[in-house]
Amino acid sequence: MTVRAVHRTSLVDAATTELRRLIGEGEWPVGAKLPNEIELSRLLGVGRSTAREAVRALISAGQLYSQQGSGTYVASATPLSDLDRRLRRAEVIDVYEVRVALEVEAGGLAATRRTAADLKALRTALAARDRAGSLPELLDADIALHRAVVAAAHNPVLLDVFDSFLDAMRAVATSVTTLDTEGDPNHAHHDLVAAIEAGDPDAAAQATRRNVEHTLARLRRS
């Protein structure tokens, strides 16, 4: 029998754990910039090299990301799963191809399963998308609308899978949202909500496909 020696937790591990705790408790929320290396080492009571390694560990875990010349920012309040990390590295076109399949099915199901509360949520989300006056607002409203459609399908597995794509979708938010809102001659978002409200699964699936494939076609051309 081979037994490995037990070692005390290293300073890097301890610093990483403390950073993870602080991020998880909201000391630095998602999107916040971390203090610089000198300040971080002072806060943690460790040397700069230890603080640097702790930050690198959380970047590898997907909780932090670095912008050259700007600093280090919080990407997630919790460590990412292997799937989450893979999605963050995935090509946007690969994510959207899966999204087409998922949302077309969800749209059809939503049309047959939606409740009065679902319809209210869909109308609210659609109105917010129409009112959006900036790209960040449009991104948030667009994702909220699509999530409301998936939620109206009342399939918890579909919703979990959709939620697993959110970070990947946001990672390419600017380019995708710009593409997604150019043209749209068929008013696919309005058609989708109308089809769900009418209880027409075929029309809902078709509107969803027009909506998502509109973006996918432009991504393929680019």
Side-chain angles (χ1 to χ4, degrees):
M1 178 176 64
T2 303
V3 179
R4 295 179 180 178
V6 176
H7 299 285
R8 291 187 301 175
T9 301
S10 70
L11 274 178
V12 172
D13 290 341
T16 302
T17 298
E18 180 62 9
L19 272 182
R20 184 172 287 127
R21 183 189 69 80
L22 291 168
I23 293 170
E25 293 181 356
E27 182 68 29
W28 297 299
V30 173
K33 181 179 179 180
L34 257 65
N36 62 38
E37 189 176 285
I38 295 174
E39 178 64 13
L40 200 57
S41 64
R42 186 190 68 78
L43 289 171
L44 295 173
V46 298
R48 290 179 61 181
S49 62
T50 298
R52 187 183 312 124
E53 289 303 315
V55 167
R56 286 176 179 170
L58 293 191
I59 290 175
S60 296
Q63 281 194 261
L64 301 176
Y65 66 94
S66 178
Q67 286 188 348
Q68 188 170 3
S70 177
T72 302
Y73 296 82
V74 177
S76 173
T78 58
L80 299 181
S81 67
D82 290 341
L83 174 60
D84 289 330
R85 286 196 293 272
R86 185 167 183 175
L87 285 172
R88 282 174 180 266
R89 295 193 300 268
E91 296 291 337
V92 62
I93 194 167
D94 294 333
V95 174
Y96 261 76
E97 284 176 347
V98 177
R99 184 182 172 187
V100 169
L102 186 154
E103 292 198 41
V104 167
E105 179 66 16
L109 290 175
T112 61
R113 298 177 178 177
R114 81 286 188 275
T115 65
D118 293 326
L119 292 176
K120 181 178 180 181
L122 286 167
R123 294 188 199 105
T124 299
L126 182 62
R129 190 183 189 280
D130 289 342
R131 291 194 308 269
S134 66
L135 195 58
E137 289 177 355
L138 182 58
L139 168 66
D140 289 341
D142 188 67
I143 289 178
L145 175 59
H146 287 283
R147 192 181 189 280
V149 172
V150 179
H154 293 280
N155 182 318
V157 178
L158 272 178
L159 189 58
D160 285 346
V161 174
F162 180 85
D163 283 346
S164 74
F165 278 76
L166 289 180
D167 284 337
M169 290 163 61
R170 288 182 182 279
V172 291
T174 301
S175 61
V176 172
T177 305
T178 300
L179 291 172
D180 203 26
T181 55
E182 288 180 358
D184 192 16
N186 296 311
H187 305 289
H189 292 90
H190 286 265
D191 291 347
L192 172 58
V193 173
I196 293 173
E197 189 167 9
D200 188 337
D202 292 335
Q206 290 170 10
T208 304
R209 187 174 292 279
R210 287 202 312 273
N211 176 18
V212 184
E213 286 195 341
H214 173 73
T215 301
L216 187 57
R218 296 181 68 89
L219 286 170
R220 285 171 174 159
R221 289 198 298 272
S222 66

PDB file of all heavy atoms in Angstrom, residues 198-217:
ATOM      1  N   ALA A 198     -50.772  32.527 -28.312  1.00  0.00           N
ATOM      2  CA  ALA A 198     -51.848  31.890 -29.074  1.00  0.00           C
ATOM      3  C   ALA A 198     -51.878  30.377 -28.889  1.00  0.00           C
ATOM      4  O   ALA A 198     -52.804  29.711 -29.360  1.00  0.00           O
ATOM      5  CB  ALA A 198     -51.700  32.218 -30.553  1.00  0.00           C
ATOM      6  N   GLY A 199     -50.863  29.833 -28.224  1.00  0.00           N
ATOM      7  CA  GLY A 199     -50.815  28.389 -28.021  1.00  0.00           C
ATOM      8  C   GLY A 199     -50.486  27.623 -29.285  1.00  0.00           C
ATOM      9  O   GLY A 199     -50.949  26.491 -29.478  1.00  0.00           O
ATOM     10  N   ASP A 200     -49.691  28.235 -30.178  1.00  0.00           N
ATOM     11  CA  ASP A 200     -49.345  27.626 -31.469  1.00  0.00           C
ATOM     12  C   ASP A 200     -47.888  27.165 -31.442  1.00  0.00           C
ATOM     13  O   ASP A 200     -46.979  27.962 -31.697  1.00  0.00           O
ATOM     14  CB  ASP A 200     -49.556  28.644 -32.586  1.00  0.00           C
ATOM     15  CG  ASP A 200     -49.412  28.042 -33.977  1.00  0.00           C
ATOM     16  OD1 ASP A 200     -48.747  26.995 -34.106  1.00  0.00           O
ATOM     17  OD2 ASP A 200     -49.965  28.619 -34.926  1.00  0.00           O
ATOM     18  N   PRO A 201     -47.637  25.883 -31.135  1.00  0.00           N
ATOM     19  CA  PRO A 201     -46.252  25.419 -31.007  1.00  0.00           C
ATOM     20  C   PRO A 201     -45.463  25.484 -32.308  1.00  0.00           C
ATOM     21  O   PRO A 201     -44.263  25.766 -32.289  1.00  0.00           O
ATOM     22  CB  PRO A 201     -46.397  23.982 -30.505  1.00  0.00           C
ATOM     23  CG  PRO A 201     -47.770  23.574 -30.892  1.00  0.00           C
ATOM     24  CD  PRO A 201     -48.594  24.803 -30.837  1.00  0.00           C
ATOM     25  N   ASP A 202     -46.106  25.222 -33.458  1.00  0.00           N
ATOM     26  CA  ASP A 202     -45.383  25.280 -34.731  1.00  0.00           C
ATOM     27  C   ASP A 202     -44.921  26.702 -35.035  1.00  0.00           C
ATOM     28  O   ASP A 202     -43.774  26.920 -35.439  1.00  0.00           O
ATOM     29  CB  ASP A 202     -46.274  24.762 -35.867  1.00  0.00           C
ATOM     30  CG  ASP A 202     -46.549  23.268 -35.759  1.00  0.00           C
ATOM     31  OD1 ASP A 202     -45.721  22.564 -35.145  1.00  0.00           O
ATOM     32  OD2 ASP A 202     -47.580  22.807 -36.290  1.00  0.00           O
ATOM     33  N   ALA A 203     -45.821  27.666 -34.830  1.00  0.00           N
ATOM     34  CA  ALA A 203     -45.449  29.064 -35.079  1.00  0.00           C
ATOM     35  C   ALA A 203     -44.370  29.528 -34.101  1.00  0.00           C
ATOM     36  O   ALA A 203     -43.465  30.285 -34.471  1.00  0.00           O
ATOM     37  CB  ALA A 203     -46.678  29.957 -34.971  1.00  0.00           C
ATOM     38  N   ALA A 204     -44.458  29.061 -32.856  1.00  0.00           N
ATOM     39  CA  ALA A 204     -43.442  29.431 -31.864  1.00  0.00           C
ATOM     40  C   ALA A 204     -42.080  28.877 -32.244  1.00  0.00           C
ATOM     41  O   ALA A 204     -41.060  29.572 -32.139  1.00  0.00           O
ATOM     42  CB  ALA A 204     -43.859  28.930 -30.485  1.00  0.00           C
ATOM     43  N   ALA A 205     -42.053  27.628 -32.684  1.00  0.00           N
ATOM     44  CA  ALA A 205     -40.786  27.016 -33.095  1.00  0.00           C
ATOM     45  C   ALA A 205     -40.216  27.742 -34.310  1.00  0.00           C
ATOM     46  O   ALA A 205     -39.004  27.994 -34.390  1.00  0.00           O
ATOM     47  CB  ALA A 205     -40.994  25.539 -33.400  1.00  0.00           C
ATOM     48  N   GLN A 206     -41.091  28.093 -35.263  1.00  0.00           N
ATOM     49  CA  GLN A 206     -40.628  28.787 -36.460  1.00  0.00           C
ATOM     50  C   GLN A 206     -40.089  30.176 -36.119  1.00  0.00           C
ATOM     51  O   GLN A 206     -39.049  30.600 -36.648  1.00  0.00           O
ATOM     52  CB  GLN A 206     -41.770  28.895 -37.468  1.00  0.00           C
ATOM     53  CG  GLN A 206     -42.151  27.565 -38.102  1.00  0.00           C
ATOM     54  CD  GLN A 206     -43.441  27.654 -38.903  1.00  0.00           C
ATOM     55  OE1 GLN A 206     -43.961  28.755 -39.143  1.00  0.00           O
ATOM     56  NE2 GLN A 206     -43.972  26.504 -39.314  1.00  0.00           N
ATOM     57  N   ALA A 207     -40.783  30.894 -35.242  1.00  0.00           N
ATOM     58  CA  ALA A 207     -40.316  32.228 -34.855  1.00  0.00           C
ATOM     59  C   ALA A 207     -38.986  32.148 -34.109  1.00  0.00           C
ATOM     60  O   ALA A 207     -38.094  32.982 -34.310  1.00  0.00           O
ATOM     61  CB  ALA A 207     -41.363  32.916 -33.983  1.00  0.00           C
ATOM     62  N   THR A 208     -38.852  31.135 -33.264  1.00  0.00           N
ATOM     63  CA  THR A 208     -37.591  30.950 -32.547  1.00  0.00           C
ATOM     64  C   THR A 208     -36.457  30.669 -33.518  1.00  0.00           C
ATOM     65  O   THR A 208     -35.364  31.232 -33.406  1.00  0.00           O
ATOM     66  CB  THR A 208     -37.700  29.794 -31.540  1.00  0.00           C
ATOM     67  OG1 THR A 208     -38.790  30.035 -30.658  1.00  0.00           O
ATOM     68  CG2 THR A 208     -36.420  29.663 -30.719  1.00  0.00           C
ATOM     69  N   ARG A 209     -36.715  29.796 -34.485  1.00  0.00           N
ATOM     70  CA  ARG A 209     -35.678  29.445 -35.455  1.00  0.00           C
ATOM     71  C   ARG A 209     -35.280  30.680 -36.274  1.00  0.00           C
ATOM     72  O   ARG A 209     -34.094  30.916 -36.507  1.00  0.00           O
ATOM     73  CB  ARG A 209     -36.161  28.323 -36.369  1.00  0.00           C
ATOM     74  CG  ARG A 209     -35.076  27.780 -37.286  1.00  0.00           C
ATOM     75  CD  ARG A 209     -35.548  26.570 -38.068  1.00  0.00           C
ATOM     76  NE  ARG A 209     -35.754  25.424 -37.197  1.00  0.00           N
ATOM     77  CZ  ARG A 209     -34.775  24.633 -36.782  1.00  0.00           C
ATOM     78  NH1 ARG A 209     -33.526  24.878 -37.132  1.00  0.00           N
ATOM     79  NH2 ARG A 209     -35.045  23.599 -36.005  1.00  0.00           N
ATOM     80  N   ARG A 210     -36.241  31.481 -36.702  1.00  0.00           N
ATOM     81  CA  ARG A 210     -35.911  32.700 -37.455  1.00  0.00           C
ATOM     82  C   ARG A 210     -35.058  33.636 -36.610  1.00  0.00           C
ATOM     83  O   ARG A 210     -34.095  34.221 -37.083  1.00  0.00           O
ATOM     84  CB  ARG A 210     -37.190  33.438 -37.872  1.00  0.00           C
ATOM     85  CG  ARG A 210     -37.976  32.778 -38.979  1.00  0.00           C
ATOM     86  CD  ARG A 210     -38.879  33.788 -39.690  1.00  0.00           C
ATOM     87  NE  ARG A 210     -39.656  34.620 -38.795  1.00  0.00           N
ATOM     88  CZ  ARG A 210     -40.839  34.281 -38.306  1.00  0.00           C
ATOM     89  NH1 ARG A 210     -41.375  33.099 -38.590  1.00  0.00           N
ATOM     90  NH2 ARG A 210     -41.500  35.103 -37.501  1.00  0.00           N
ATOM     91  N   ASN A 211     -35.438  33.739 -35.340  1.00  0.00           N
ATOM     92  CA  ASN A 211     -34.746  34.647 -34.435  1.00  0.00           C
ATOM     93  C   ASN A 211     -33.293  34.230 -34.238  1.00  0.00           C
ATOM     94  O   ASN A 211     -32.358  35.011 -34.473  1.00  0.00           O
ATOM     95  CB  ASN A 211     -35.491  34.676 -33.097  1.00  0.00           C
ATOM     96  CG  ASN A 211     -34.793  35.523 -32.064  1.00  0.00           C
ATOM     97  OD1 ASN A 211     -33.953  36.348 -32.381  1.00  0.00           O
ATOM     98  ND2 ASN A 211     -35.122  35.293 -30.822  1.00  0.00           N
ATOM     99  N   VAL A 212     -33.077  32.994 -33.825  1.00  0.00           N
ATOM    100  CA  VAL A 212     -31.725  32.554 -33.490  1.00  0.00           C
ATOM    101  C   VAL A 212     -30.901  32.299 -34.740  1.00  0.00           C
ATOM    102  O   VAL A 212     -29.712  32.627 -34.793  1.00  0.00           O
ATOM    103  CB  VAL A 212     -31.779  31.298 -32.595  1.00  0.00           C
ATOM    104  CG1 VAL A 212     -30.381  30.899 -32.165  1.00  0.00           C
ATOM    105  CG2 VAL A 212     -32.632  31.562 -31.370  1.00  0.00           C
ATOM    106  N   GLU A 213     -31.505  31.731 -35.778  1.00  0.00           N
ATOM    107  CA  GLU A 213     -30.745  31.439 -36.994  1.00  0.00           C
ATOM    108  C   GLU A 213     -30.399  32.708 -37.759  1.00  0.00           C
ATOM    109  O   GLU A 213     -29.467  32.715 -38.556  1.00  0.00           O
ATOM    110  CB  GLU A 213     -31.512  30.460 -37.877  1.00  0.00           C
ATOM    111  CG  GLU A 213     -31.498  29.043 -37.328  1.00  0.00           C
ATOM    112  CD  GLU A 213     -31.919  28.006 -38.348  1.00  0.00           C
ATOM    113  OE1 GLU A 213     -32.565  28.397 -39.349  1.00  0.00           O
ATOM    114  OE2 GLU A 213     -31.592  26.823 -38.150  1.00  0.00           O
ATOM    115  N   HIS A 214     -31.138  33.784 -37.518  1.00  0.00           N
ATOM    116  CA  HIS A 214     -30.774  35.080 -38.099  1.00  0.00           C
ATOM    117  C   HIS A 214     -29.360  35.447 -37.665  1.00  0.00           C
ATOM    118  O   HIS A 214     -28.524  35.850 -38.477  1.00  0.00           O
ATOM    119  CB  HIS A 214     -31.782  36.138 -37.635  1.00  0.00           C
ATOM    120  CG  HIS A 214     -31.422  37.540 -38.043  1.00  0.00           C
ATOM    121  ND1 HIS A 214     -31.532  37.993 -39.333  1.00  0.00           N
ATOM    122  CD2 HIS A 214     -30.956  38.590 -37.307  1.00  0.00           C
ATOM    123  CE1 HIS A 214     -31.145  39.264 -39.385  1.00  0.00           C
ATOM    124  NE2 HIS A 214     -30.798  39.647 -38.178  1.00  0.00           N
ATOM    125  N   THR A 215     -29.089  35.282 -36.391  1.00  0.00           N
ATOM    126  CA  THR A 215     -27.749  35.547 -35.860  1.00  0.00           C
ATOM    127  C   THR A 215     -26.756  34.516 -36.361  1.00  0.00           C
ATOM    128  O   THR A 215     -25.645  34.850 -36.764  1.00  0.00           O
ATOM    129  CB  THR A 215     -27.765  35.541 -34.323  1.00  0.00           C
ATOM    130  OG1 THR A 215     -28.664  36.532 -33.867  1.00  0.00           O
ATOM    131  CG2 THR A 215     -26.385  35.814 -33.765  1.00  0.00           C
ATOM    132  N   LEU A 216     -27.148  33.249 -36.336  1.00  0.00           N
ATOM    133  CA  LEU A 216     -26.242  32.177 -36.729  1.00  0.00           C
ATOM    134  C   LEU A 216     -25.785  32.334 -38.176  1.00  0.00           C
ATOM    135  O   LEU A 216     -24.602  32.144 -38.496  1.00  0.00           O
ATOM    136  CB  LEU A 216     -26.944  30.823 -36.537  1.00  0.00           C
ATOM    137  CG  LEU A 216     -26.091  29.564 -36.730  1.00  0.00           C
ATOM    138  CD1 LEU A 216     -24.898  29.570 -35.804  1.00  0.00           C
ATOM    139  CD2 LEU A 216     -26.947  28.326 -36.486  1.00  0.00           C
ATOM    140  N   ALA A 217     -26.693  32.702 -39.065  1.00  0.00           N
ATOM    141  CA  ALA A 217     -26.333  32.880 -40.473  1.00  0.00           C
ATOM    142  C   ALA A 217     -25.313  34.000 -40.638  1.00  0.00           C
ATOM    143  O   ALA A 217     -24.346  33.885 -41.424  1.00  0.00           O
ATOM    144  CB  ALA A 217     -27.583  33.187 -41.291  1.00  0.00           C
TER     145      ALA A 217
END
